[in-house]
């Protein structure tokens, strides 16, 4: 091969690799690669909402991230990733104690004007459907897009004390909730149906709810004990 042609070919290949290296907010992590959000040993990579103070209502127990159930103001014990994500697939395992309530947030925005994550962030509901001590609407049950979309009747929730597996997929406004390998919710954010549900329902007084196309992942402290492990995400 002509040496000039060889040089040109190598330069072209090098440029192509660099132009499509899939860079994300995680240095060295190409898009599509699973990233662990919890190392099983520490709270590294997590913080309280709008704060840098010590996290006191969560601990590590047998490799799981455990919410102890704080008694402070609503939302004060919620924890959030240091990283922000836009289009993603999130997967994790979870269980709750009898009667407990928790949730997983995404696209959380932090700003002094917001007091809690729920003002901006959609939530994958985590709860004991059977033993929760108050009547639940369908959009408040496990796997729901809280206050917006109801899980399918084919949902299969594990008994208390057993680990469930969940996934959230968000891609250009297309959203899916999965529970124990079954897709239980599918919808399109920001479309007519979504907007109607928002403006006529629980979130009608929260104009920024669900509007962000990127943000933090969060775990809810609802004053009850909840357990999380194998929390992983990949950018889509």
């Amino acid at each position: 091969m002509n040496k000039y042609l060889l040089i040109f070919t190598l330069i072209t290949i090098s440029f192509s690799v660099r132009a499509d290296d899939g860079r994300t907010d995680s240095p060295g992590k190409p898009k599509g690669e699973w990233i662990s959000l919890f190392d099983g040993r520490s709270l590294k990579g997590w913080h309280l909402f709008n704060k840098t103070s010590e996290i006191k209502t969560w601990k590590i127990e047998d490799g799981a991230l455990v919410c102890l159930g704080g008694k402070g103001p609503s939302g004060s014990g919620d924890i959030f990733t240091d990283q922000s994500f836009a289009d993603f697939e999130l997967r994790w395992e979870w269980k709750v104690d009898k009667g407990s309530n928790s949730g997983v947030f995404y696209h959380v925005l932090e700003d002094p004007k917001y007091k809690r994550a729920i003002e901006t962030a959609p939530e994958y509901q985590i709860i004991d459907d059977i033993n929760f001590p108050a009547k639940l609407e369908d959009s408040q049950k496990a796997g729901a897009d809280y206050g917006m979309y109801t899980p399918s009747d084919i949902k299969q929730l594990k008994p208390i004390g057993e680990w469930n597996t969940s996934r959230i997929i968000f891609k250009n406004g297309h959203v899916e909730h999965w529970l124990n390998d079954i897709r239980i919710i599918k919808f399109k954010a920001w479309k007519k149906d979504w907007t109607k549900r928002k403006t006529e329902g629980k979130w009608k007084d929260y104009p920024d709810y669900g509007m962000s196309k990127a943000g933090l992942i969060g775990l809810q402290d609802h004053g009850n004990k909840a357990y999380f492990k194998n929390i992983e995400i990949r950018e889509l």
Side-chain angles (χ1 to χ4, degrees), residues 17-36:
V17 170
R18 292 181 183 179
D20 192 30
D21 65 356
R23 297 287 180 182
T24 69
D25 287 344
S26 305
K29 294 287 188 180
K31 185 174 289 188
E33 181 175 335
W34 287 103
I35 303 166
S36 177

Side-chain angles (χ1 to χ4, degrees), residues 1 10 13 69 93 134 178-179 190 233:
M1 179 183 290
L10 292 174
I13 292 173
E93 295 180 57
W178 291 69
L179 177 63
W190 315 310
I233 195 168

Side-chain angles (χ1 to χ4, degrees), residues 20 36 50 61 72 107 114 136 143 180 193 231:
D20 192 30
S36 177
N50 277 338
E61 185 177 288
H107 290 175
Y114 302 128
L136 295 173
N180 296 321
D193 176 68
I231 310 168

